[in-house]
């Protein structure tokens, strides 16, 4: 028999449609894949990406992997961890009493053991700056949790059920959006005589939930139209199961992003209200109170204004940077 002609150095791969495609020998190896879904060159097998154990990777695991490689997330996370630690245990780095003042040292500059100097009342600026972090972090975290829970529940139910409930909630949120935040704080908090953080937190939750509600409503409306939700409904899944098991996990990402960024905004808002005299009031320790007290002495003692203002700016920036990093990691369109 005549010898069959040899194929050229390379490989022939079927196209899956009855045809063939010539590949070079180096390119043909990329078609060989291991059972776990990984090719022999170390890449991943197309859209169905798998993890180290051959399991499909989820959006959550991909987001965490991207966050660990993001220097913005690492830096902002370290700053926030430091702020949380000194908020819980401020005496670790500032063992003094923030309410102990000596008028004889009023407006004095830095001294041994007092690196930030003294304010107009003779109080140690360093000690008050460190202890002021507790108030700011407490207000920011509690207000964010309250806003996220209330807004997510109301907005999620409105987006899921629709109808009259959705129409009423939309009109109510329009009314709250029309209220200026600072002006509302001046009006509402001026009649509160308490000296704790809870009236300020309650005011922020009262005026902050409509924003999260709008975000949650839109996310739920988008998620409930997906095929897997329609399939679960056709199989007889209850409303609670659809909301908690199928819709909420896929609609919570935008809420997390907005809430993380808003946390820094709430810290700045607390300082603004305290500066205006309607938020926290002495003898409470707050960066806004210290900034307000140091403003008249900015020429003679600028250090008393510089340090609490710098601490406030760094804190707000850290939370905003954290929110931006989380947004980039959770948004599949940016991949």
């Amino acid at each position: 028999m005549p010898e069959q002609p040899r194929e050229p150095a390379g490989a022939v791969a079927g196209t899956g449609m009855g045809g063939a495609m010539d590949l070079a020998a180096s390119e043909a190896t990329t078609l060989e894949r291991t059972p776990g879904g990984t090719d022999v060159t170390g890449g991943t097998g197309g859209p169905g990406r798998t993890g180290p154990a051959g399991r499909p990777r989820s959006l959550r695991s991909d987001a965490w992997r991207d966050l660990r490689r993001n220097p913005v997330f690492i830096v902002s996370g370290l700053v926030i961890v430091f702020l949380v630690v000194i908020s819980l245990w401020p005496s670790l780095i500032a063992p003094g009493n923030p309410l102990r003042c000596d008028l004889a040292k009023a407006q004095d500059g830095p001294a041994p053991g007092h690196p930030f100097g003294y304010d107009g009342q003779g109080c140690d600026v360093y000690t008050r700056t460190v202890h002021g972090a507790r108030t700011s972090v407490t207000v920011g975290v509690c207000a964010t949790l309250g806003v996220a829970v209330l807004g997510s529940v109301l907005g999620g139910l409105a987006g899921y059920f629709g109808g009259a409930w959705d129409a009423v909630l939309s009109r109510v949120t329009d009314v709250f959006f029309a209220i200026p935040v600072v002006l509302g704080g001046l009006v509402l908090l001026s009649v509160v005589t308490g000296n704790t953080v809870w009236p300020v937190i309650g005011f922020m939750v009262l005026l902050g939930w409509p924003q999260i509600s709008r975000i949650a409503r839109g996310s739920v409306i988008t998620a409930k139209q997906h095929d897997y939700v329609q399939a679960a409904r056709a199989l007889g899944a209850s409303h609670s199961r659809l909301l908690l098991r199928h819709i909420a996990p896929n609609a919570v990402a935008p809420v997390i992003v907005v809430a993380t960024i808003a946390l820094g905004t709430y810290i700045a808002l607390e300082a603004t209200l305290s500066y205006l005299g309607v938020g926290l009031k002495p003898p409470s320790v707050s960066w806004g109170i210290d900034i307000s007290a140091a403003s008249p002495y900015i020429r003679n003692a600028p250090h008393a204004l510089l340090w609490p203002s710098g601490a406030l700016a760094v804190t707000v920036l850290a939370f905003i940077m954290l929110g931006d990093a989380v947004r980039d990691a959770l948004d599949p369109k940016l991949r």
Side-chain angles (χ1 to χ4, degrees):
M1 294 178 62
E3 184 179 358
Q4 296 293 333
R6 294 185 178 181
E7 297 291 342
V12 178
T15 62
M17 299 176 62
M21 176 175 58
D22 292 333
L23 297 175
S26 59
E27 296 175 340
T29 58
T30 61
L31 297 178
E32 301 177 8
R33 305 197 178 274
T34 62
T38 308
D39 59 42
V40 294
T41 60
T44 55
R49 295 176 298 179
T50 57
R55 296 188 300 268
R57 291 209 305 259
S58 62
L59 176 62
R60 188 175 304 173
S61 62
D62 284 347
W64 175 239
R65 182 197 59 188
D66 293 343
L67 287 175
R68 288 181 298 175
R69 299 176 180 178
N70 190 345
V72 174
F73 172 78
I74 295 175
V75 173
S76 59
L78 291 176
V79 173
I80 292 172
V81 169
F82 174 73
L83 289 171
V84 172
V85 171
I86 67 173
S87 299
L88 296 175
W89 302 285
S91 59
L92 291 177
I93 61 175
N97 186 353
L99 301 179
R100 183 177 301 169
C101 306
D102 186 358
L103 288 176
K105 299 179 180 179
Q107 302 183 16
D108 285 356
H114 307 278
F116 293 174
Y118 299 87
D119 61 9
Q121 300 296 323
C123 303
D124 184 20
V125 177
Y126 172 75
T127 303
R128 290 188 63 86
T129 300
V130 173
H131 284 259
R134 170 178 291 181
T135 300
S136 297
V137 172
T138 301
V139 170
V141 172
C142 293
T144 301
L145 290 177
V147 166
V149 172
L150 181 61
S152 298
V153 171
L154 295 179
L157 293 177
Y160 180 78
F161 291 105
W165 173 256
D166 188 16
V168 171
L169 184 67
S170 298
R171 301 294 77 78
V172 171
T173 55
D174 290 340
V175 172
F176 278 93
F177 277 127
I179 302 176
V181 177
V182 177
L183 179 60
L186 290 173
V187 174
L188 295 178
L189 294 178
S190 60
V191 299
V192 178
T193 58
N195 195 31
T196 63
V197 299
W198 300 113
V200 179
I201 293 173
F203 161 74
M204 293 181 181
V205 173
L206 179 63
L207 293 187
W209 70 266
Q211 181 185 16
I212 299 294
S213 176
R214 284 283 180 90
I215 300 297
R217 173 183 175 272
S219 298
V220 169
I221 291 177
T222 301
K224 75 176 184 179
Q225 297 174 356
H226 291 164
D227 292 339
Y228 59 86
V229 177
Q230 301 299 330
R233 180 181 287 111
L235 292 174
S238 62
H239 292 307
S240 60
R241 182 177 180 83
L242 288 173
L243 279 170
L244 299 178
R245 295 291 301 274
H246 300 285
I247 295 179
N250 295 282
V252 73
V255 175
I256 294 176
V257 172
V258 174
T260 306
I261 298 176
L263 201 155
T265 305
Y266 293 141
I267 292 177
L269 179 59
E270 180 274 323
T272 301
L273 295 175
S274 298
Y275 178 86
L276 296 175
V278 296
L280 296 177
K281 303 175 181 63
S284 298
V285 181
S286 168
W287 290 335
I289 294 175
D290 292 347
I291 294 172
S292 177
S295 296
Y297 311 106
I298 186 173
R299 293 186 177 181
N300 298 329
H303 57 273
L305 178 65
L306 174 64
W307 293 110
S309 301
L312 176 63
V314 170
T315 301
V316 174
L317 181 61
F319 281 105
I320 292 178
M321 291 171 57
L322 180 69
D324 289 340
V326 173
R327 179 199 59 196
D328 295 342
L330 291 178
D331 190 352
K333 297 179 181 179
L334 300 178
R335 298 184 182 280

